[in-house]
Amino acid sequence: MARIVVIGAGLTGLATALLLGRDGHDVTVLERDGAEPDGHAESLWRTWERPGVSQFRLPHQMLAYWRQLMERELPEVIDEIERLGGRRINPIDTMPTALTGGIRAGDEDLRGMSARRPVLEGALSAVAARAPGVTVRRGAKVAALVPAPPGVHGVPHVDGVVIDGGEKLSADLVVDAMGRNTSVDRMLDAIGARRPDEQAEELGFIYYCRQFRNNEPGSVPVTGGLIPYEGMSLLTIYGDADTYSLCFYVASNDRELRGLQDVDAWERALALFPNLGKLRSVSTPITGIQVMAGSPDRRRSFVVDGAPVVTGLVAVGDAAVRTNPSLGRGSATGLVQACTLRDVLRDVGPDRSDEFATRVAEAIEAVVGPLYRRTLAQDRNRMAEIQADIAGTPHRPTGATWHLQRALQRLVRMDADALRIYMRSALHIEPLDPAVFPATLRAKIEALDVEAPPYPAGGPTRAQLLAAVAGRPLRTVA
Ligand SMILES: Cc1cc2nc3c(=O)[nH]c(=O)nc-3n(C[C@H](O)[C@H](O)[C@H](O)COP(=O)(O)OP(=O)(O)OC[C@H]3O[C@@H](n4cnc5c(N)ncnc54)[C@H](O)[C@@H]3O)c2cc1C
């Protein structure tokens, strides 16, 4: 069994520690933020200071895929989330029966997990605090990697870490779970390692979110989901304790929509969605407008051209792969990487350092590579579509999958099969595969009018949205 140091006690770092500790490894998690979680949902939300995670109080949806993996691998985390007030929630239950045709076998797969991010992380922390083999040290910022003496390994090898203040901790394996702003490149430079392979693409999304508490959850349900409209998308995410969030996802170069950071402008924009009027009228805001921008889709690997740039060190979670948050895939992608690392460790010890590094990279590519590429293709098309809407020109999409997604989105309101297939892909359960679609659905897709308006949910036009944000009557829009 190995001595393992995990750097970072975020969603993936903690899940990794739990999985490895349960396999008998001796795991120490080092977290730079000093504050301890206190085990109560409202104080986790109100007072837990986590400056190391910039998105800590932003809405997070835990997709069905994450809930399925967590239930299978770490069911005690799901129990703890529920103890804190989170819920397994099935989007089908929140939609009108006329749309869904009622609950069917297989719908249980669609259940996600609803809780605010501090509550999710509080639950993981509580389970980690009582897990045998796992120690979490908060207020322990890792400043550097400890290199093995030269000549022992072919490439720079990591033997442990140095904590701010000088304390050294030896390890058979160090796991970078430092999140989207990982400082591992600086640490690798300091031990003379080459830079990891990196693919990054700035898609240019920005988010304007507000969180609410629904005071009448019994009579006015919240329906979650990401719905595209002309020039922007609107995302609804469930939280715990009857909270929910609404986010406008727009292009960061869209100057006219920057006004959405103003609470009155944001509320005027929201009022353009009449289907949300009843919900808004029975809800109390629990935040102001939360703005977050600049999140490139990015993938990194410590194996370049088939050879490791470093051994004794692997990366998981956002440190290795991150994608545009509107699709809510970060935590699920992190969790599947943690499971993959655990599986490789069952086969190959970190003492076989080159083989271990290569096996981890290959295994993570096998599970995460296709997810990443699908997400990137979807992000590119959506951003191109938004830019075309801003310019008032037609969008010319690339890739058959995008056409299929849009076709299904147009059919979800009239075909219960299309609804399920679309949701299984959106909730990250399985990719779209037209070969398994019912023949009737394939026929409906072929019969769709290609000239029909691209946004089946209707909603405001861009001109209406700009007028609302600017606080001017629509007739003054050119
Ligand atoms: C705006 C926004 C919205 C999002 N919405 C969703 C969503 O709806 N659903 C979803 O699944 N995902 C979402 N994500 C992604 C999700 O937040 C990440 O995928 C997830 O937090 C990754 O977990 P992690 O453990 O890899 O990193 P993090 O959770 O970021 O944790 C990294 C940890 O490392 C610590 N750390 C950093 N440096 C050091 C150091 N030197 N020493 C010690 N500790 C260190 C940090 O303090 C932090 O605690 C969103 C992201 C953003 C930006």
Side-chain angles (χ1 to χ4, degrees):
M1 288 300 128
R3 281 167 312 159
I4 298 175
V5 165
V6 176
I7 318 176
L11 295 178
T12 314
L14 289 169
T16 306
L18 285 169
L19 289 165
L20 301 184
R22 206 182 47 189
D23 266 16
H25 300 290
D26 175 5
V27 187
T28 303
V29 184
L30 301 173
E31 168 53 51
R32 57 172 244 182
D33 291 347
E36 295 281 345
D38 77 352
H40 300 282
E42 264 331 288
S43 46
L44 290 167
W45 165 252
R46 285 175 195 279
T47 58
W48 192 13
E49 291 301 326
R50 291 285 280 117
V53 182
S54 45
Q55 70 272 31
F56 191 63
R57 284 195 170 73
L58 284 157
H60 276 63
Q61 55 184 333
M62 294 298 110
L63 297 182
Y65 182 54
W66 184 89
R67 191 265 313 152
Q68 285 177 356
L69 270 180
M70 214 31 131
E71 264 178 6
R72 191 182 75 207
E73 300 288 348
L74 295 167
E76 61 275 34
V77 172
I78 299 286
D79 293 344
E80 187 63 25
I81 294 171
E82 287 185 333
R83 192 193 67 74
L84 287 168
R87 283 187 302 139
R88 281 173 250 226
I89 191 157
N90 194 333
I92 293 280
D93 288 337
T94 69
M95 295 176 187
T97 313
L99 203 68
T100 63
I103 287 284
R104 294 181 183 178
D107 282 352
E108 61 284 1
D109 290 354
L110 300 172
R111 285 178 309 167
M113 201 72 212
S114 69
R116 289 167 290 179
R117 157 94 194 218
V119 174
L120 293 163
E121 211 177 286
L124 274 155
S125 303
V127 175
R130 51 183 189 253
V134 176
T135 307
V136 181
R137 287 178 57 183
R138 297 185 185 272
K141 179 179 178 191
V142 171
L145 302 169
V146 178
V152 180
H153 299 266
V155 291
H157 180 86
V158 174
D159 258 355
V161 297
V162 184
I163 301 173
D164 236 7
E167 183 189 349
K168 278 190 185 169
L169 221 61
S170 311
D172 303 314
L173 177 66
V174 174
V175 181
D176 171 11
M178 286 185 274
R180 60 209 295 269
N181 298 320
T182 174
S183 44
V184 80
D185 283 355
R186 179 183 54 71
M187 297 181 190
L188 287 172
D189 283 348
I191 63 165
R194 284 189 294 149
R195 285 283 169 100
D197 187 37
E198 179 171 305
Q199 305 155 26
E201 190 166 326
E202 177 54 81
L203 275 309
F205 288 98
I206 186 166
Y207 322 102
Y208 300 94
C209 304
R210 193 168 204 201
Q211 303 190 45
F212 297 90
R213 178 163 277 116
N214 179 359
N215 299 313
E216 291 185 21
S219 54
V220 189
V222 180
T223 301
L226 176 69
I227 304 190
Y229 296 96
E230 195 185 4
M232 55 91 194
S233 303
L234 187 63
L235 175 66
T236 310
I237 297 181
Y238 312 104
D240 55 291
D242 300 317
T243 61
Y244 69 95
S245 320
L246 295 169
C247 302
F248 287 100
Y249 274 60
V250 311
S252 52
N253 67 349
D254 191 342
R255 292 179 167 274
E256 291 172 282
L257 288 186
R258 287 187 190 160
L260 282 169
Q261 60 197 290
D262 172 76
V263 72
D264 294 329
W266 191 97
E267 291 285 351
R268 284 195 301 271
L270 190 71
L272 297 174
F273 297 84
N275 56 328
L276 291 170
K278 181 84 199 295
L279 177 64
R280 177 66 189 90
S281 72
V282 299
S283 302
T284 310
I286 58 169
T287 66
I289 307 304
Q290 302 177 300
V291 185
M292 186 128 184
S295 186
D297 287 17
R298 188 186 71 189
R299 253 204 94 188
R300 295 154 63 82
S301 172
F302 291 152
V303 173
V304 182
D305 299 329
V309 296
V310 64
T311 54
L313 175 75
V314 292
V316 292
D318 278 15
V321 182
R322 69 186 205 206
T323 52
N324 160 28
S326 68
L327 301 173
R329 295 180 174 179
S331 324
T333 311
L335 184 56
V336 77
Q337 289 172 69
C339 296
T340 307
L341 171 62
R342 183 268 326 265
D343 293 346
V344 175
L345 263 172
R346 284 179 177 171
D347 256 15
V348 190
D351 51 319
R352 286 151 60 187
S353 54
D354 278 35
E355 184 189 353
F356 178 75
T358 312
R359 283 281 300 276
V360 170
E362 284 169 358
I364 288 190
E365 162 56 27
V367 288
V368 173
L371 302 180
Y372 179 77
R373 287 187 282 279
R374 279 202 301 275
T375 307
L376 187 60
Q378 192 169 339
D379 285 349
R380 281 187 188 138
N381 266 310
R382 180 59 185 141
M383 184 44 78
E385 191 175 52
I386 288 177
Q387 295 298 339
D389 288 344
I390 295 172
T393 54
H395 171 229
R396 309 218 182 285
T398 54
T401 306
W402 181 257
H403 285 287
L404 209 52
Q405 272 168 346
R406 279 291 182 258
L408 286 171
Q409 252 170 359
R410 285 166 63 186
L411 288 170
V412 290
R413 284 176 172 68
M414 39 195 148
D415 185 300
D417 288 333
L419 175 69
R420 264 79 180 185
I421 290 170
Y422 177 75
M423 287 179 75
R424 291 180 79 84
S425 137
L427 300 177
H428 210 20
I429 298 170
E430 62 210 7
L432 289 178
D433 177 5
V436 300
F437 290 6
T440 47
L441 179 57
R442 284 208 298 271
K444 282 184 192 168
I445 291 173
E446 276 160 28
L448 278 175
D449 173 9
V450 287
E451 299 301 325
Y455 298 116
T461 62
R462 179 161 168 82
Q464 287 168 325
L465 185 68
L466 296 187
V469 169
R472 61 177 187 246
L474 180 60
R475 63 178 178 281
T476 65
V477 176

